[in-house]
Amino acid sequence: GSGAFVPAVVVGTGYGAAVTALRLGEAGIGTLMLEMGQLWNRPGPDGKVFCGMLDPDRRSTWFKNRTEAPIASFLWLDVVNRPVQPYAGVLDRVNFGGMGVYVGRGVGGGSLVNGGIAATPRRSYFGEVLPQVDAGEMYGRHFPRALAMLRANEIAADWFERTEWYRFARVAREAATKAGMRTRFVPNAYDFAYMRREASGEVPRSALAAEVMYGNNHGKQSLDKTYLAAALGTGKVTIETLHRVTKVRREKDGTYVLTAEPIDAEGRRLAPKEIGCRYLFLGAGSLGSTELLVRARDTGTLPDLGVEVGAGWGPNGNVMAGRANTLLHPTGARQSAIAATCIDDWDDPAAPVFADVAPLPAGFETGISMYLAVTRNPERGTFVHDSATDRVRLRWEREQNAPAVAAAKSFLDRMNRANGTDYRYDLFGPRPKAFGDDFCYHPLGGCVLGRATDAYGRVAGYRHLYVNDGALIPGSIGVNPFVTITALAERNVERVLAEDIAR
Ligand code: FDA
């Protein structure tokens, strides 16, 4: 190996990782971040850093021959996905048997590709999901700090009511109201002031040019502009890109040694490196952090890891569905790609649903109202190591999403009845299908807080080894998760800095 040693390593550059690196850097601790994706700051031949959703090229997709968009068809036709050259693109879909998990790849992780929805969970549900966390401290300090750092902002109500770009959301609100459901604004990390200037033609368009999911060229206040910029600003944090961490072991003196496998953007393998550190923070997300620990346990490089590592995974009850509005309710050929509203029906005791009113910026009138429903599905998956291939697989059967589909169906059936409308059956593949239930955007769990770790993300069985990302949350949080991941990471790293780290 190269024999490099640094005080602290953070694996990944998503929400949990970015928070961790900033606070370590501020405390004066030399920190190296290792990210398997690229730094997205160089324009391609078209002058843009990211490609659009409607004309994807190789920048869209992490090493595949074809894009894998979630809404894969229109009128059952395979018109959405495109062949692409394999490349270190920004969006990955990790396909396990019963579940395709979307994740961001690059400096900023999920913040590069996600919808920016900055939702705070209900306090009662948060308390139920993470009972060992002091909710008073979270809601008093850590959530407000996370929202401020992430620059969460709300759409101006008067503009929302009159702009053509949110007709789709007003139509969805009317349908919800008829069904007796409450619609409200939801904060977003996309800068709504910038979006208004897009609408008036003062600045280049991004949300209003159907950009999201494969990156936003403007307006999105992703982590590279917030936490990571601040982390680099401490002068103590560096980021190595296109470095995938594949192995972790521990030396007798307590040093952790990582194997990193660098590649170039076309996927050519460069010489592997070994990097040693005193403090190791895993922020590679639910899939990434869990994979590293499951492999380390089952190949014997960290043999004291327990059975809870790999358990407690869930897709946050994610289900997508579209309703066909009547001709009286066009949703608009022009749609902002950024959601601004949600329907909060979590109080329905039989089938609690929190639904993002999702845009479908196709560029023509579709009449569709799209929803990403977050439901309360108690089913959980488990990660297992396959020794023959050294791959880590997710055990999750397709049927495990049945409770989520049932909740989404109860919610949308009510909406359809109240409005005399029906589902769209043509959006999720070649056969008629109303619910997108075989993919998710919100992977959570695998190294659950208080089980695989202590109450602050310290991994059970090892000193100075931490998980600080979505892997800590046990499969469900009731709303879009990145604000919770960020706030929880703030809380955990604060404690670790105070108690564990010699300065
Ligand atoms: P995150 O996944 O952000 O970061 C992990 C990073 O680690 C990645 O950059 C990855 O490349 C890197 N990595 C993984 N393994 C590695 C390894 N072995 N070595 C080196 N690097 C490695 N949430 C929300 O709240 N509001 C929303 O609107 C949306 N919308 C949305 C849309 C889409 C399309 C997606 C895919 C996701 C969302 N989400 C969302 C979910 C949200 O983006 C997600 O919950 C967070 O990004 C998770 O944050 P983490 O810190 O856990 O990891």
Side-chain angles (χ1 to χ4, degrees):
S2 60
F5 181 88
V6 286
V9 164
V10 176
V11 183
T13 57
Y15 291 91
V19 169
T20 305
L22 170 60
R23 302 308 174 198
L24 290 172
E26 284 176 339
I29 295 149
T31 301
L32 172 63
M33 305 185 83
L34 296 168
E35 167 58 52
M36 65 192 275
Q38 303 198 62
L39 175 62
W40 290 92
N41 66 349
R42 267 173 304 124
D46 60 355
K48 293 178 181 172
V49 173
F50 297 108
C51 66
M53 227 176 0
L54 303 177
D55 53 346
D57 59 34
R58 67 177 191 166
R59 289 170 290 184
S60 67
T61 303
W62 181 259
F63 293 108
K64 295 189 195 257
N65 293 305
R66 196 172 163 74
T67 65
E68 291 183 15
I71 296 169
S73 61
F74 194 81
L75 300 173
W76 295 284
L77 296 173
D78 183 12
V79 291
V80 177
N81 285 309
R82 303 283 160 81
V84 287
Q85 289 296 315
Y87 184 69
V90 73
L91 182 70
D92 196 0
R93 175 172 164 145
V94 182
N95 291 312
F96 301 106
M99 178 63 74
V101 183
Y102 286 96
V103 289
R105 298 278 181 231
V107 175
S111 76
L112 297 168
V113 298
N114 68 31
I117 295 171
T120 303
R122 288 206 179 189
R123 188 161 168 164
S124 56
Y125 192 59
F126 178 87
E128 219 177 290
V129 172
L130 291 165
Q132 59 285 79
V133 177
D134 179 342
E137 198 184 278
M138 286 296 290
Y139 285 77
R141 270 190 336 114
H142 303 300
F143 277 120
R145 179 159 52 147
L147 289 164
M149 283 294 297
L150 296 168
R151 298 189 207 147
N153 66 127
E154 262 185 31
I155 194 166
D158 61 327
W159 188 62
F160 174 82
E161 295 301 340
R162 65 171 191 271
T163 176
E164 61 181 330
W165 298 100
Y166 283 98
R167 174 186 299 277
F168 75 95
R170 297 194 299 271
V171 167
R173 178 180 60 186
E174 196 183 322
T177 304
K178 275 195 192 149
M181 297 174 198
R182 201 166 64 98
T183 301
R184 59 177 167 79
F185 293 127
V186 63
N188 202 291
Y190 195 94
D191 182 352
F192 282 110
Y194 183 88
M195 196 191 294
R196 287 182 73 162
R197 292 195 285 134
E198 294 177 47
S200 57
E202 295 162 68
V203 292
R205 284 181 173 172
S206 180
L208 303 193
E211 287 183 358
V212 69
M213 195 168 84
Y214 299 143
N216 282 92
N217 285 300
H218 309 279
K220 168 85 82 70
Q221 302 168 118
S222 46
L223 290 167
D224 50 319
K225 311 219 169 33
T226 60
Y227 272 102
L228 292 170
L232 294 176
T234 66
K236 291 300 220 175
V237 177
T238 51
I239 305 177
E240 283 279 14
T241 59
L242 293 169
H243 276 57
R244 178 181 200 142
V245 177
T246 53
K247 294 194 188 98
V248 185
R249 68 170 200 270
R250 189 170 170 274
E251 306 278 75
K252 287 214 174 59
D253 68 356
T255 303
Y256 290 99
V257 180
L258 308 173
T259 305
E261 297 189 352
I263 55 168
D264 68 17
E266 277 79 32
R268 282 178 285 263
R269 289 156 158 269
L270 310 173
K273 294 179 186 169
E274 288 202 332
I275 297 157
C277 62
R278 169 84 35 222
Y279 305 100
L280 175 55
F281 293 86
L282 302 182
S286 167
L287 299 189
S289 293
T290 308
E291 174 183 347
L292 282 171
L293 291 184
V294 167
R295 179 179 294 122
R297 180 190 61 201
D298 293 358
T299 58
T301 64
L302 296 177
D304 295 338
L305 292 173
V307 291
E308 288 289 347
V309 166
W313 185 86
N316 204 22
N318 280 186
V319 179
M320 272 201 114
R323 289 178 41 253
N325 290 285
T326 64
L327 292 176
L328 293 174
H329 296 96
T331 50
R334 303 185 117 187
Q335 301 193 9
S336 170
I338 291 293
T341 55
C342 61
I343 303 166
D344 192 341
D345 201 36
W346 200 260
D347 286 327
D348 177 354
V353 172
F354 175 91
D356 303 330
V357 175
L360 194 63
F364 52 90
E365 177 60 50
T366 67
I368 298 174
S369 289
M370 273 313 292
Y371 306 89
L372 173 63
V374 173
T375 66
R376 184 176 180 161
N377 184 354
E379 290 288 331
R380 293 293 173 263
T382 305
F383 292 90
V384 291
H385 182 250
D386 177 359
S387 58
T389 59
D390 198 28
R391 303 280 284 260
V392 173
R393 288 188 295 113
L394 175 65
R395 266 204 202 125
W396 171 274
E397 301 304 325
R398 188 62 174 281
E399 307 78 70
Q400 290 183 270
N401 236 4
V405 172
K409 183 170 186 315
S410 153
F411 170 80
L412 289 173
D413 279 355
R414 268 196 287 152
M415 198 116 57
N416 280 331
R417 272 198 301 274
N419 290 276
T421 53
D422 196 0
Y423 293 97
R424 287 287 295 235
Y425 296 94
D426 59 326
L427 305 174
F428 303 108
R431 274 169 294 134
K433 186 168 161 49
F435 298 99
D437 63 344
D438 59 350
F439 63 88
C440 74
Y441 296 149
H442 301 165
L444 294 173
C447 306
V448 170
L449 192 88
R451 293 185 184 180
T453 76
D454 77 349
Y456 294 89
R458 298 170 174 116
V459 176
Y462 288 88
R463 244 166 81 84
H464 298 165
L465 174 61
Y466 310 89
V467 171
N468 209 17
D469 60 23
L472 293 174
I473 298 174
S476 168
I477 196 63
V479 294
N480 311 63
F482 75 60
V483 171
T484 307
I485 294 168
T486 304
L488 193 63
E490 288 276 22
R491 165 196 178 268
N492 294 346
V493 72
E494 185 177 277
R495 173 64 63 109
V496 166
L497 275 167
E499 293 185 350
D500 297 15
I501 296 192
R503 271 172 275 170

